Amino acid sequence: MVNTALPPRSPVRHTGGQQMKEKMKAFKVVAGSVAGKARSASPFKMFISADDNAKLPHVAAEEDARMEISQCGDRDEFEEARDMYDPEEGESRTLNTLSRSLSLESGTFDDESLLGSLLSGTVGEGGEDEESLGSYDAPKQTMPQRGKVFTKSVVLSNLNNGANVGDSLVLRAQHRCMKPDEESHVLINVRASSVSPFDVVKCRGVGVTKEMLPYTPGQVVVGTIEALGSEVKLPFQIGDRVVGFVGQGGNARFMSTEADNLVKASPNIKNSEAACLVEDWMSAYRALRIAKNVFKGAALFGMNVFITDGFSPIGQAAINLADLEGANIYCCARKSQHKHLKSLSSRIEVFEPHIDKWLPDIMEKMDIVIDNTCVDGYASSWQALNDKGILVCLATAHMGYSTRGCGVIDMDEMLRTYSQMKAKYTMSQTVFLDIRQDFKQNRIEFTRDLMYLMFLVEQGKIHPKVGEKVALDDVGDAQKLLANGKNNGTIVCLPWKKC
């Protein structure tokens, strides 16, 4: 049995860096007495007995984990970044294992609780979630020391297309410089990010090459700016709260992204609500706005609005927004979901999702149709329009595996892409909306609409529905929930949330 006794506490309590130095000195004394130099082994391994090692099988594998020197200069003995991804050596570890990963980065623990924290894997988390924060700033212990900060991110470890959704995701822990990767970038302390259908598709390997690994999902982020590149101009300043589409990299505690991907966010709404607005509500609002423009900006009062998937986050957002203007709402959902959807509006009729269940009742009667499913290439949705109606087709992600194509070509994905191109260029009374492209091409209008939705949240007029709030360790399980269609609302990742 390894001696786990710790040196007595110093009667003088120091603060800041001096306190950290004292604790590291005490740690090295114990480490040196049982295992020699700490540099030659994992820093926490020496505190665990053989019995404990049997209970924690992942600890034995920790010694073999590749140690990556921080990109910011020289290494000292307890600042090695543990990179949990190495596709050549196969050293990636699963999220469940990594949820117990141990670290010594924060220096906020007491000496007498050090051993228990090491064995339980709770050292250095410092992870208040957004609901317990008095402000939207980062926890103080995450601020940089000597230009470095310890960060974690979720990464795709391999392109095993046969794996189940989420199984190829691992947690990566490392130190990083507190500066943007490029001069046109900003460094964001991420307070919330999205777990979306597009992330599920990417993590299946669609659109991701081996050269892009390690790939971090998360296309929408909410956070505060920690550092600016030299080419970043106004209106952004350090400390600004921002939100935007970053494409990838959001499921991390810190990330660097182009300033053009961001807009300023209201300080008066929750981080999770801001993520919901960009991820789902903006698609619904922009679709209705485009449709209203066809009717010369007329209000939706008395109009017939049909939504092909009413239970999805975008569908529920569209129902709420259409109800605010007095529209007559029709939508599709599984029978078990009808009661919930009927609670959202007094002017709603819900059908089962089979085409023959709803098309005969609404054919040629709808003023606005929002198709967020692309079941039959938008054909049935188009037939539901009246002679002056407008069909808005939303870019969707196919999260399942194709049953056609013999595993060589994803025929379902190919047909979906063809249908989207057809809707975009050849169909009459039809508009195709990809919210990510809309953000880039109509930035000013997009920003104004987003500010309006934030105003509605502040006034209590709308309530973005957060289906789940998950920690980084649970992103893989969240993707499985999303792929199975069991999420009731937007799934939001809170990178500082404790497991």
Side-chain angles (χ1 to χ4, degrees):
M1 181 73 70
V2 177
N3 180 18
T4 58
L6 290 171
R9 293 183 64 178
S10 170
V12 179
R13 285 189 66 85
H14 300 285
T15 59
Q18 184 62 29
Q19 185 182 15
M20 185 63 178
K21 289 179 181 179
E22 290 294 326
K23 295 183 184 297
M24 290 299 99
K25 183 177 179 181
F27 180 85
K28 286 190 282 186
V29 169
V30 178
S33 68
V34 293
K37 294 182 179 180
R39 190 186 299 271
S40 64
S42 299
F44 59 85
K45 177 70 162 63
M46 55 203 65
F47 282 92
I48 299 176
S49 67
D51 292 337
D52 289 325
N53 209 20
K55 298 176 183 177
L56 304 175
H58 68 280
V59 173
E62 180 67 19
E63 276 191 325
D64 299 325
R66 183 163 58 89
M67 309 292 281
E68 184 178 89
I69 299 175
S70 171
Q71 300 175 2
C72 325
D74 296 332
R75 173 183 71 175
D76 70 8
E77 292 185 55
F78 297 97
E79 289 182 341
E80 299 98 337
R82 297 201 305 280
D83 186 350
M84 304 308 178
Y85 165 76
D86 190 332
E88 299 299 327
E89 298 299 327
E91 292 171 349
S92 298
R93 298 186 294 164
T94 65
L95 289 175
N96 287 336
T97 301
L98 284 171
S99 66
R100 307 183 70 178
S101 180
L102 311 180
S103 60
L104 296 171
E105 69 273 16
S106 70
T108 57
F109 46 84
D110 293 329
D111 289 345
E112 63 268 18
S113 64
L114 174 60
L115 180 59
S117 298
L118 285 169
L119 293 176
S120 64
T122 59
V123 173
E125 286 299 317
E128 302 100 320
D129 67 24
E130 64 163 10
E131 306 303 334
S132 62
L133 290 175
S135 71
Y136 291 97
D137 297 330
K140 300 302 180 184
Q141 59 265 40
T142 68
M143 292 297 97
Q145 298 177 4
R146 299 184 299 281
K148 304 176 186 178
V149 69
F150 186 85
T151 183
K152 296 179 181 179
S153 58
V154 176
V155 298
L156 181 66
S157 61
N158 60 68
L159 297 179
N160 184 7
N161 292 328
N164 293 325
V165 172
D167 285 351
S168 296
L169 294 177
V170 297
L171 194 64
R172 187 186 193 190
Q174 65 184 120
H175 285 82
R176 68 158 294 146
C177 299
M178 285 299 290
K179 64 179 182 180
D181 295 340
E182 298 180 19
E183 296 304 324
S184 60
H185 282 205
V186 298
L187 181 68
I188 301 175
N189 183 323
V190 181
R191 307 305 298 155
S193 57
S194 64
V195 181
S196 71
F198 288 94
D199 294 326
V200 174
V201 172
K202 291 287 188 180
C203 290
R204 282 177 47 206
V206 178
V208 178
T209 63
K210 187 175 181 180
E211 291 71 24
M212 297 171 64
L213 298 178
Y215 174 88
T216 299
Q219 68 168 357
V220 171
V221 298
V222 181
T224 53
I225 295 178
E226 297 291 342
L228 299 170
S230 60
E231 298 177 6
V232 178
K233 308 298 182 184
L234 292 175
F236 295 119
Q237 297 180 356
I238 293 177
D240 283 348
R241 188 167 183 238
V242 292
V243 60
F245 281 106
V246 295
Q248 65 181 76
N251 296 155
R253 290 185 172 179
F254 291 90
M255 72 161 300
S256 177
T257 186
E258 289 278 352
D260 289 343
N261 293 333
L262 307 169
V263 297
K264 285 190 175 182
S266 167
N268 301 320
I269 67 173
K270 294 179 180 179
N271 296 309
S272 56
E273 292 178 333
C276 284
L277 291 181
V278 178
E279 178 64 40
D280 295 312
W281 281 70
M282 278 301 295
S283 293
Y285 184 78
R286 293 289 291 165
L288 290 172
R289 182 182 177 90
I290 289 171
K292 288 172 65 175
N293 289 341
V294 173
F295 295 98
K296 303 186 185 301
L300 298 179
F301 185 84
M303 289 189 181
N304 296 324
V305 177
F306 176 64
I307 304 154
T308 58
D309 184 0
F311 189 74
S312 67
I314 293 177
Q316 293 191 48
I319 291 172
N320 279 274
L321 292 169
D323 184 64
L324 280 178
E325 296 195 30
N328 301 315
I329 305 166
Y330 305 82
C331 67
C332 294
R334 291 196 294 265
K335 195 167 185 178
S336 60
Q337 301 162 348
H338 287 196
K339 183 177 180 180
H340 170 70
L341 293 179
K342 289 179 179 179
S343 69
L344 301 180
S345 172
S346 59
R347 296 179 299 275
I348 188 171
E349 185 172 351
V350 187
F351 302 98
E352 291 190 36
H354 303 290
I355 295 175
D356 58 348
K357 297 289 186 181
W358 57 265
L359 185 56
D361 291 337
I362 66 173
M363 182 178 288
E364 300 182 357
K365 295 179 181 178
M366 296 296 107
D367 299 294
I368 299 171
V369 174
I370 298 177
D371 191 319
N372 55 340
T373 54
C374 187
V375 172
D376 58 351
Y378 307 118
S380 57
S381 296
W382 191 85
Q383 294 177 50
L385 294 174
N386 59 33
D387 57 349
K388 295 182 180 179
I390 179 71
L391 167 62
V392 183
C393 303
L394 301 182
T396 56
H398 174 58
M399 293 183 289
Y401 289 93
S402 177
T403 57
R404 295 174 286 177
C406 302
V408 178
I409 300 175
D410 191 333
M411 291 297 296
D412 291 337
E413 187 65 30
M414 181 180 293
L415 290 173
R416 185 178 296 268
T417 302
Y418 168 75
S419 298
Q420 292 177 353
M421 296 295 290
K422 181 178 68 173
K424 191 172 184 179
Y425 296 110
T426 66
M427 292 176 65
S428 61
Q429 297 178 256
T430 304
V431 177
F432 182 78
L433 174 63
D434 185 334
I435 197 65
R436 290 161 298 282
Q437 293 298 322
D438 187 51
F439 174 76
K440 295 178 181 178
Q441 297 171 3
N442 303 295
R443 183 183 179 85
I444 295 177
E445 189 174 315
F446 185 100
T447 302
R448 183 169 58 247
D449 289 345
L450 179 59
M451 293 299 105
Y452 175 65
L453 288 182
M454 290 184 178
F455 170 76
L456 293 180
V457 174
E458 294 176 16
Q459 297 297 311
K461 299 292 182 63
I462 61 175
H463 305 278
K465 186 174 181 58
V466 180
E468 297 285 343
K469 296 179 183 178
V470 300
L472 288 174
D473 306 70
D474 300 320
V475 169
D477 291 335
Q479 286 196 3
K480 293 178 182 179
L481 185 73
L482 194 61
N484 291 328
K486 295 182 178 180
N487 60 304
N488 183 5
T490 307
I491 299 179
V492 177
C493 171
L494 302 179
W496 298 97
K497 178 181 173 65
K498 291 182 179 180
C499 298

